[in-house]
């Protein structure tokens, strides 16, 4: 008796189960990472204002340094997932090890660059004379943990490519808990102050990296994959990451320009902008979780040479992105009057917030499409197009944003420019997805 072909509804349900199974744990691990800085802030905040200000500068520098290398996770996820789809687990793990070795090399290079230049970097970020010593001390110690942070990124990509987002969630929860306990003990119990907080973060990150390496090494031994560094494989991982690095730098430039423009609008506007940006980032985590599922699923389908499965998964995930964007947008629009007082009691800040958050709410469905298609193309290994599209978006956004203060616009106008940026991204990604040129099957692109 032959099995009945899968109906579209049955196919959608299968994709839904896959998306939920991958996206929910991914969301948890995404949210856990920013909690590291929040714990450090809560602990150090009781030491004094100069210490907290120093942490703010050092944390901004560290976050920038690490986020630039997020391609270690994205590129590794896509490459590993393709080989999983092709049924070659040893090659998948071997590809992941190349990404981990690259992370170690990049981490060592960052340490060499940061340690001697820490005072200059702190000064360039505008730290005050009282905060600068604390920022420099925290930055120099925390920089020692950057190789571990980058290994965590690459190893997370390995596990995502293997269709495992639960282990990263458990590691993130464990790392967050260890970081909190170490911070309290070293800062207050051992009396080390801000230096203790830095060492607590380094130890927690090294512990997370050790857990990831243990998991990956066990998998390598189980499937007979080599653990030795392979120059050609490391070089290939770096080459795959360069376009995603360009994309990430262009996106960071967009966010930096937005902050710089907000600072020129006045103190109330830049304060409101910071709150809006924080909420926008939180919303992005929810949408990015679906995109991460997309990277893993699309890579696996293309590795298995299943073009129809990749198209169907892409279509279903876009539907998820739109639905999630609509839900988030409605929640933001309706809850604005309720949560704005939680952030500020200043009427001068609340006014711009109320209107600007409405712009953010309206654009959430667009953001949903952008995040999903971004993840789909990453999963397909279409990095060069993503880099080109983001550079074009930056070129259109920059003059629109700088025109806001010149034309007498306010924060609503600035976030209107941000909405324009997201719309341009949506159009460029939609055109690429519709063309089908991203569908390149096989164990490697």
């Amino acid at each position: 008796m032959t099995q009945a072909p899968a109906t579209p509804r049955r196919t959608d349900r299968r994709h839904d189960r896959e998306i939920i199974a991958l996206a929910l744990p991914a969301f948890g691990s995404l949210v856990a990472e920013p909690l590291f800085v929040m714990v450090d802030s809560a602990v150090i905040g009781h030491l004094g204002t100069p210490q907290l200000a120093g942490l703010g500068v050092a944390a901004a520098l560290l976050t920038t340094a690490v986020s630039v290398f997020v391609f270690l996770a994205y590129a590794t996820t896509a490459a590993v997932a393709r080989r999983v789809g092709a049924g070659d687990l040893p090659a998948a793990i071997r590809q992941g090890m190349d990404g981990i070795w690259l992370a170690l090399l990049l981490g060592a290079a960052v340490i060499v660059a940061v340690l001697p230049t820490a005072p200059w970097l702190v000064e360039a970020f505008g730290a005050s004379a009282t905060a600068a010593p604390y920022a420099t001390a925290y930055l120099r110690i925390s920089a020692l943990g950057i190789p571990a942070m980058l290994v965590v990124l690459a190893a997370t990509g390995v596990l995502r490519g293997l269709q495992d987002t639960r282990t990263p969630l458990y590691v993130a929860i464990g790392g967050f808990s260890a970081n909190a306990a170490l911070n309290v003990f070293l800062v207050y119990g051992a009396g080390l102050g801000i230096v203790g907080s830095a060492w607590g973060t380094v130890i927690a990150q090294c512990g997370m990296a050790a857990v990831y390496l243990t998991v990956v090494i066990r998998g390598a031994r189980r499937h007979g994959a080599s653990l030795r560094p392979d120059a050609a494989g490391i070089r290939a991982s770096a080459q795959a990451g360069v376009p995603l690095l360009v994309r990430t730098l262009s996106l960071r430039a967009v966010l930096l320009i937005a902050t710089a423009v907000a600072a020129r609008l006045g103190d109330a506007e830049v304060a409101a902008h910071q709150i809006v940006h924080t909420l926008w980032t939180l919303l992005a985590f929810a949408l990015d979780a679906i995109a991460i599922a997309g990277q893993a699923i699309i890579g696996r389908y293309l590795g298995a040479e299943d073009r129809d499965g990749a198209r169907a998964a892409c279509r279903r995930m876009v539907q998820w992105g739109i639905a999630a964007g609509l839900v988030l947008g409605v929640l933001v629009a309706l809850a604005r009057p309720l949560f704005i007082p939680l952030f500020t009691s200043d009427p001068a800040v609340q006014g711009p917030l109320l209107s600007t958050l409405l712009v953010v709410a309206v654009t959430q469905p667009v953001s949903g499409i952008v995040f999903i298609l971004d993840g789909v193309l990453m999963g397909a290994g279409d990095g060069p197009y993503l880099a080109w599209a983001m550079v074009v978006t930056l070129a259109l956004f920059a003059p629109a944003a700088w025109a806001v203060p010149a034309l007498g616009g306010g924060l609503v106008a600035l976030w209107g420019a941000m909405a324009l940026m997201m719309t341009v991204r949506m159009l460029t990604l939609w055109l690429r997805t519709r063309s089908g040129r991203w569908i390149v099957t096989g164990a490697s692109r």
Side-chain angles (χ1 to χ4, degrees):
M1 183 176 180
T2 59
Q3 187 175 5
T7 64
R9 181 174 295 181
R10 187 179 301 170
T11 300
D12 285 345
R13 285 200 296 265
R14 186 179 74 249
H15 288 315
D16 291 344
R17 288 193 295 270
E18 285 187 316
I19 293 168
I20 292 171
L22 292 171
L24 284 181
F27 176 71
S29 60
L30 285 171
V31 172
E33 286 303 315
L35 292 178
F36 271 79
V37 176
M38 290 180 62
V39 167
D40 289 0
S41 300
V43 172
I44 293 175
H46 293 285
L47 294 177
T49 300
Q51 290 91 332
L52 185 58
L55 171 67
V57 172
L61 286 164
L62 283 168
T63 301
T64 300
V66 175
S67 65
V68 162
F69 298 111
V70 72
F71 69 83
L72 289 166
Y74 294 158
T76 305
T77 297
V80 171
R82 275 184 175 270
R83 284 159 178 78
V84 169
D88 193 348
L89 283 177
I93 296 174
R94 172 68 262 176
Q95 181 72 44
M97 285 304 305
D98 291 336
I100 290 173
W101 281 112
L102 176 61
L104 286 170
L105 291 174
L106 291 173
V110 173
I111 288 179
V112 171
V114 169
L115 289 182
T117 61
W120 178 84
L121 291 170
V122 167
E123 182 181 355
F125 260 62
S128 66
T130 55
Y134 296 110
T136 301
Y138 189 94
L139 180 59
R140 277 180 165 159
I141 294 171
S142 295
L144 299 176
I146 286 180
M149 296 179 195
L150 299 189
V151 166
V152 167
L153 283 177
T156 299
V158 175
L159 294 181
R160 288 173 180 171
L162 294 171
Q163 317 295 298
D164 176 10
T165 56
R166 289 182 178 272
T167 300
L169 172 60
Y170 299 147
V171 175
I173 293 173
F176 165 73
S177 302
N179 181 60
L182 286 167
N183 263 262
V184 172
F185 172 73
L186 293 175
V187 171
Y188 297 111
L192 297 179
I194 192 170
V195 169
S197 177
W199 280 117
T201 299
V202 170
I203 294 170
Q205 291 287 351
C206 289
M208 292 172 65
V211 173
Y212 273 121
L213 288 175
T214 300
V215 173
V216 174
I217 289 171
R218 283 178 179 172
R221 288 175 174 169
R222 185 164 56 250
H223 295 285
S226 174
L227 297 173
R228 295 179 180 178
D230 177 66
I234 294 172
R235 186 165 53 251
S237 294
Q239 289 171 348
V242 168
L244 295 180
L245 175 62
V246 173
R247 167 203 168 273
T248 301
L249 289 174
S250 300
L251 182 56
R252 295 293 299 182
V254 165
L255 301 178
L256 288 173
I257 288 172
T259 301
V261 171
R264 286 161 173 77
L265 298 178
D267 290 345
E269 284 75 9
V270 74
H273 172 78
Q274 180 59 35
I275 295 171
V276 174
H277 182 263
T278 300
L279 291 170
W280 186 75
T281 302
L282 179 61
L283 296 172
F285 284 146
L287 299 173
D288 201 27
I290 307 174
I292 287 171
Q295 294 172 30
I297 293 170
I298 292 297
R300 191 187 75 234
Y301 274 117
L302 294 179
E305 302 190 8
D306 187 350
R307 293 172 176 266
D308 292 337
R311 288 192 184 94
C314 175
R315 174 187 57 79
R316 189 57 175 171
M317 281 183 285
V318 168
Q319 292 173 352
W320 268 76
I322 295 173
L326 286 170
V327 171
L328 293 173
V330 170
L331 288 174
V332 170
L334 295 179
R336 286 175 303 151
L338 299 177
F339 63 72
I340 285 178
L342 299 177
F343 289 94
T344 178
S345 59
D346 187 348
V349 178
Q350 289 183 348
L353 264 180
L354 197 64
S355 302
T356 305
L357 284 173
L358 187 58
V359 176
V360 172
V362 170
T363 56
Q364 281 308 294
V366 173
S367 297
I369 297 173
V370 168
F371 276 87
I372 299 310
L373 294 184
D374 202 44
V376 166
L377 296 184
M378 281 185 190
D382 204 9
Y385 182 85
L386 289 172
W388 173 86
M390 198 61 228
V391 169
V392 169
T393 301
L394 172 61
L396 294 174
F397 168 77
W402 287 117
V404 170
L407 298 176
L411 194 63
V412 172
L414 173 59
W415 276 86
M418 289 287 286
L420 171 65
M421 179 270 295
M422 294 300 289
T423 302
V424 171
R425 288 188 71 191
M426 181 185 70
L427 290 174
T428 57
L429 297 174
W430 175 76
L431 288 172
R432 182 64 167 183
T433 308
R434 189 184 180 202
S435 73
R437 295 177 184 174
W438 58 280
I439 302 178
V440 178
T441 59
S444 60
R445 185 175 173 87

